Amino acid sequence: MLFQKKIDPSCAYCRRGKQIGEDTVLCQKKGVVSPEGSCSRFRYDPLKRVPPRPVSPDFSRLKEEDFQL
């Protein structure tokens, strides 16, 4: 599932925060903070959140006979 119902608050995808670097977010309420931080004024913005990439399957353990009928 790409979008969960319950999402942990993070300044990286808060409506009040703006990414100014890889490890800094400019918050309207708190100033410069880390992306992992959060506060009680957190408002979720789904357009800022990038879901984790799905894990690619590992086919190295499979043999040729696994693909025969």
Side-chain angles (χ1 to χ4, degrees):
M1 177 184 275
L2 293 178
F3 298 103
Q4 302 169 354
K5 298 279 186 192
K6 175 148 175 36
I7 294 176
D8 295 327
S10 174
C11 291
Y13 43 85
C14 178
R15 190 175 298 164
R16 294 182 173 91
K18 179 168 176 97
Q19 193 91 21
I20 57 174
E22 292 215 9
D23 56 346
T24 55
V25 173
L26 182 59
C27 178
Q28 292 175 354
K29 299 294 179 185
K30 300 280 185 173
V32 178
V33 294
S34 71
E36 296 84 27
S38 66
C39 66
S40 60
R41 303 288 294 183
F42 173 78
R43 295 293 174 255
Y44 178 60
D45 185 0
L47 298 178
K48 288 186 179 181
R49 185 169 173 265
V50 178
R53 294 186 61 96
V55 178
S56 60
D58 181 22
F59 295 117
S60 63
R61 301 180 308 207
L62 300 176
K63 302 177 208 130
E64 185 68 35
E65 57 202 36
D66 292 333
F67 296 99
Q68 295 177 355
L69 292 176

